[in-house]
Amino acid sequence: MLPLQQQMQLGNPQQQIPPPPPQQQIPNPNELSLAGVLHFLQTEWRRYERERNEWEIERAEMRARIALLEGERRSFENIKIDLLRRVKMMEYALRVERFVLPFPGILEFHQTFSHIL
């Protein structure tokens, strides 16, 4: 038999399956007493409360993670909008520059007659 570390490194599927929860022995009906019944009810109630608390903690962690991821998504969306706006400005500047370069006097003409146009 391989040591536990080697089995985990090899990815033994039997080690990845958690063991089943321990089975509680149900006492013989002839052996039931008030104290035994109360003890059983108390242990079951504790188990129920513990599982409910674990679920509440997990739920709160998931809600916090969701809020974090939604905030990241909003920030990335804002960055995308900003970058798209910058790309459009650069494209416009490039179009204007390409139009002005072949016609050197067009810029002065536009500035001179812009109040008429």
Side-chain angles (χ1 to χ4, degrees):
M1 191 88 189
L2 293 173
L4 183 59
Q5 290 93 5
Q6 289 179 348
Q7 287 180 357
M8 292 187 74
Q9 288 175 352
L10 295 175
N12 191 348
Q14 293 176 347
Q15 294 298 326
Q16 295 175 355
I17 300 172
Q23 297 287 331
Q24 291 185 354
Q25 292 183 351
I26 299 175
N28 187 355
N30 296 334
E31 298 174 6
L32 288 179
S33 66
L34 181 60
V37 170
L38 288 176
H39 176 71
F40 174 75
L41 290 175
Q42 287 173 344
T43 56
E44 287 298 307
W45 180 256
R46 272 191 236 115
R47 185 182 60 80
Y48 167 76
E49 286 293 319
R50 184 180 64 242
E51 288 175 358
R52 190 173 64 97
N53 289 336
E54 289 171 358
W55 181 80
E56 288 288 337
I57 291 169
E58 184 179 354
R59 182 177 174 213
E61 290 172 352
M62 288 296 143
R63 284 186 172 184
R65 181 168 163 83
I66 288 169
L68 175 74
L69 292 173
E70 285 177 346
E72 285 181 6
R73 184 192 56 83
R74 280 192 302 271
S75 69
F76 288 138
E77 186 70 26
N78 290 336
I79 290 170
K80 183 186 91 171
I81 290 169
D82 183 51
L83 291 175
L84 285 174
R85 184 173 42 241
R86 289 175 186 237
V87 166
K88 288 179 182 179
M89 289 188 321
M90 294 298 288
E91 287 174 345
Y92 175 75
L94 185 61
R95 270 188 261 124
V96 168
E97 185 178 310
R98 285 182 179 169
F99 181 72
V100 170
L101 283 181
F103 310 105
I106 193 83
L107 190 58
E108 291 84 21
F109 175 79
H110 180 68
Q111 289 174 349
T112 306
F113 297 105
S114 63
H115 66 280
I116 297 172
L117 301 174

